Amino acid sequence: MGGHHHHGPGHDHGHGHAHGHGHGAPGATHGSAFAIAVSLNLVFVVAEGVAGLVSGSLALLADAGHNLGDVLSLLLAWGASVLASRPPSARFTYGLKSSSILAALANATLLWVALGAILIETIRRFADPEPVAGLAMTLVAALGILVNGLSALLFARGSKSDLNLRAAFQHLIADAAVSGGVVVAGLLIMATGWTWIDPVASLVITAVIAIGSWGLLRDSVKLGLLGVPEGIDGGAVRAFLAGQPGVGAVHDLHIWPMSTTETALTAHLVMPGGHPGDAFLHHLAHELDHDFGIGHATIQVETAHEACALHADEVV
């Protein structure tokens, strides 16, 4: 039996790769996407820091600090995507795939910490408005929209299917939005001389990012708690397994994320008619991968009715 079992996942992997060139090919290019985004952002942070020091603008220095946080978040997502592709070892039998879940969680948290920092700075500004170097602020921020916008585009495609990339993508979009707000505020301040526009713009931006990133925080916590990934209907999977010819009952069905892109499943099938053979298991693995995107399925077949009584775990 052990032998069969080993064979099942082996076959399953072969299939995973054939089918997975959709996943695999971008995996190769995400490296260069990260490299470009990190370089662009680092150059921008240095430029912004220098401009801030020269113009004496605290807003620019604060923003440079925030963008440095972004570089860290990109490095975090990059590191996780590299680790996630490492082969399994004796200790980490799944490889380090779930590092992508940890990175998405860490990045969602970082984004909220950054929001807190912007909020505190904003409240301080209301109490003590500073003269703002409108022009320097506007020019640098315009460059910021470009840098962050371009960087975000690199992850736009991957962010739809991979939460780790979505975290990187949302950080960059958030930054482009902040820069956009700064440009508008800078132009208005130059036109009107009202310094309170700066903190007001900041509050609006903070609110927008908070709303946008709430979903990211929620989804990454859900993956961290091994919830069934978005886009997979657990009930449909149970019905699919229960509807197979010869299956009397399904129990101990578990579906969980191995990484931000890969999903595993285990289930016990009660088949009173006897073990249906390897071909049936291969067919199930193939169908689960193809129809539900579950690439790592382990199925235990039980022939006795008594087995059913061990775990009555119908999901409520």
Side-chain angles (χ1 to χ4, degrees):
M1 182 61 217
H4 297 305
H5 227 85
H6 180 70
H7 185 58
H11 164 87
D12 178 350
H13 273 287
H15 173 73
H17 285 303
H19 152 83
H21 275 291
H23 305 306
T29 58
H30 290 326
S32 53
F34 279 118
I36 295 166
V38 167
S39 318
L40 274 176
N41 277 282
L42 272 177
V43 170
F44 180 57
V45 165
V46 173
E48 196 173 31
V50 171
L53 289 171
V54 171
S55 70
S57 161
L58 263 181
L60 286 179
L61 284 176
D63 197 43
H66 174 64
N67 280 311
L68 194 57
D70 252 42
V71 173
L72 290 179
S73 104
L74 280 172
L75 289 173
L76 199 64
W78 189 2
S81 78
V82 170
L83 287 177
S85 62
R86 282 178 55 170
S89 64
R91 180 179 291 272
F92 297 103
T93 55
Y94 277 131
L96 301 173
K97 290 187 194 308
S98 59
S99 57
S100 59
I101 296 176
L102 296 179
L105 253 175
N107 266 328
T109 313
L110 264 178
L111 200 50
W112 279 72
V113 170
L115 286 178
I118 297 175
L119 208 55
I120 291 166
E121 172 66 13
T122 304
I123 292 165
R124 208 183 59 68
R125 277 291 170 82
F126 271 119
D128 175 22
E130 289 152 14
V132 183
L135 185 65
M137 181 171 143
T138 309
L139 290 176
V140 174
L143 188 62
I145 298 179
L146 200 65
V147 169
N148 290 304
L150 281 175
S151 305
L153 279 179
L154 296 171
F155 299 107
R157 247 188 68 226
S159 68
K160 288 182 187 61
S161 55
D162 183 346
L163 196 69
N164 182 38
L165 294 179
R166 195 171 116 206
F169 177 71
Q170 282 203 309
H171 257 255
L172 293 166
I173 286 288
D175 270 18
V178 170
S179 301
V182 171
V183 167
V184 172
L187 290 171
L188 283 173
I189 290 166
M190 283 196 292
T192 60
W194 300 335
T195 46
W196 57 262
I197 290 173
D198 186 31
V200 169
S202 181
L203 275 182
V204 171
I205 294 162
T206 311
V208 170
I209 299 170
I211 294 162
S213 60
W214 173 248
L216 176 69
L217 188 63
R218 193 193 55 219
D219 289 351
S220 49
V221 167
K222 204 164 96 181
L223 287 184
L225 296 174
L226 303 186
V228 177
E230 283 300 307
I232 295 178
D233 176 351
V237 175
R238 185 179 282 274
F240 164 75
L241 291 172
Q244 293 298 312
V247 174
V250 177
H251 61 101
D252 290 271
L253 171 63
H254 299 285
I255 304 169
W256 74 97
M258 292 165 60
S259 75
T260 51
T261 53
E262 292 179 68
T263 307
L265 168 150
T266 52
H268 294 211
L269 305 182
V270 179
M271 305 187 74
H275 193 291
D278 286 357
F280 173 78
L281 295 178
H282 290 320
H283 163 73
L284 271 191
H286 180 277
E287 293 295 296
L288 284 167
D289 190 10
H290 192 268
D291 297 351
F292 298 100
I294 298 171
H296 303 265
T298 305
I299 305 287
Q300 177 168 325
V301 174
E302 293 159 1
T303 52
H305 276 294
E306 294 78 77
C308 208
L310 287 175
H311 304 276
D313 75 326
E314 278 304 312
V315 177
V316 181

